[in-house]
Amino acid sequence: MTTVLTRPLGATVRPGKVTLLRALRSEWIKLRTVRSTSITLLTAVAAMVGLGMLVTHLRAGDLSARELAHFNGAELSLSMFRPAQLAVGVLGVLMFTGEYTTGMIHATLTAVPRRLPVLVAKAVVFTGVVLVLMTAAAFAAFFGGQAVLSSAHLDTHLSDPGVTRVVFGTALYLTVVGLFGVALGAIIRSSAGAIATLVGILLVLPGLGALLPADWAQHIDPYLPSNAGQAVLSVVPDPAMAPWTGLSLFAGYAAALLGLAAWLLKRRDA
């Protein structure tokens, strides 16, 4: 016997309650099904690992005696975090601006009218994916670089002082860069504008700081966002900024931008 369940005529289907878990699932589906996600993340990994090994090979055979005295294999093998940060930052920007470009943001904010869970879900999903992938890429770049350097007896090991911190710190730094992108995407709502602002923060601002008089620069340069974050990437800590203090300051800048993004997301129209 088959039992048929019927709904009274005129009855309505009550929508499910909006929860953070459902928002997280929604953002995870969006992130993994958009083609730009895999392309951008693969670009970051290729830069970290592939270009990292190539640069390590080229530099290892062209070191002067003075450079050898200050040579560090861990920093060289991870030096391609610089192009990788642009790829990760752009992906962070697209987490928001991609929806503004297609108009999907209207559906997203209609489904989650409180809005803040959207920002939280995007930030959490992005952080989880990028942190896991960049940690794997950082270790792959490190071990690949050391394999290249071992033939010249210049390799270093994870057990050496500061090396493990630098490897993990690279992944953490890149993750925070991506959160800068998420925040800027939500604030500016334009891919071109947000990416240009991100590049200005990461690359242009430190260059301008280098133009300051020396007595000014020593009090300003270490506290610029990317300079502070990159303190964790030096095996020998900079006296001007402790490694974890610098990364914490960098994360604080990102948190401030996310706070501004949350405030604007609540106040303005989609």
Side-chain angles (χ1 to χ4, degrees):
M1 180 182 292
T2 302
T3 301
V4 178
L5 299 178
T6 62
R7 191 169 63 246
L9 186 63
T12 57
V13 178
R14 298 181 63 184
K17 183 180 179 181
V18 176
T19 64
L20 180 59
L21 181 60
R22 287 176 173 174
L24 289 168
R25 288 185 61 191
S26 174
E27 294 304 327
W28 165 242
I29 292 171
K30 292 178 193 176
L31 183 65
R32 68 182 174 84
T33 54
V34 175
R35 184 178 300 176
S36 61
T37 299
S38 56
I39 294 174
T40 308
L41 289 176
L42 284 173
T43 300
V45 172
M48 283 280 292
V49 182
L51 285 180
M53 292 180 67
L54 176 61
V55 169
T56 300
H57 172 72
L58 294 175
R59 290 283 294 131
D62 188 34
L63 293 171
S64 65
R66 182 177 180 181
E67 289 173 324
L68 281 171
H70 302 281
F71 177 77
N72 187 280
E75 293 180 11
L76 178 59
S77 61
L78 294 167
S79 61
M80 288 297 102
F81 77 87
R82 291 178 175 85
Q85 71 181 344
L86 296 179
V88 171
V90 167
L91 180 60
V93 166
L94 295 177
M95 286 285 288
F96 260 102
T97 62
E99 292 196 41
Y100 280 106
T101 300
T102 61
M104 188 177 177
I105 192 67
H106 297 286
T108 298
L109 297 182
T110 299
V112 189
R114 291 177 60 193
R115 297 192 173 194
L116 289 186
V118 174
L119 177 62
V120 172
K122 286 182 182 294
V124 169
V125 169
F126 180 86
T127 299
V129 170
V130 172
L131 181 59
V132 170
L133 190 59
M134 290 300 102
T135 299
F139 274 96
F142 172 78
F143 286 118
Q146 301 322 300
V148 172
L149 292 172
S150 63
S151 60
H153 306 289
L154 295 172
D155 55 316
T156 187
H157 305 89
L158 281 176
S159 57
D160 293 343
V163 172
T164 301
R165 167 178 53 75
V166 169
V167 177
F168 276 115
T170 300
L172 291 171
Y173 172 80
L174 291 172
T175 303
V176 177
V177 167
L179 289 176
F180 263 85
V182 173
L184 290 172
I187 292 168
I188 300 175
R189 304 194 292 184
S190 162
S191 297
I195 291 170
T197 303
L198 181 69
V199 170
I201 291 172
L202 296 178
L203 303 179
V204 178
L205 200 57
L208 293 176
L211 300 176
L212 293 172
D215 54 341
W216 288 24
Q218 64 180 340
H219 298 294
I220 295 175
D221 278 1
Y223 300 95
L224 296 176
S226 59
N227 288 349
Q230 290 174 24
V232 78
L233 307 183
S234 297
V235 172
V236 179
D238 187 337
M241 180 67 70
W244 295 117
T245 301
L247 185 64
S248 298
L249 178 59
F250 188 47
Y253 285 125
L257 283 178
L258 287 169
L260 177 59
W263 183 75
L264 291 174
L265 194 62
K266 291 281 287 184
R267 289 184 62 87
R268 64 191 182 188
D269 295 334

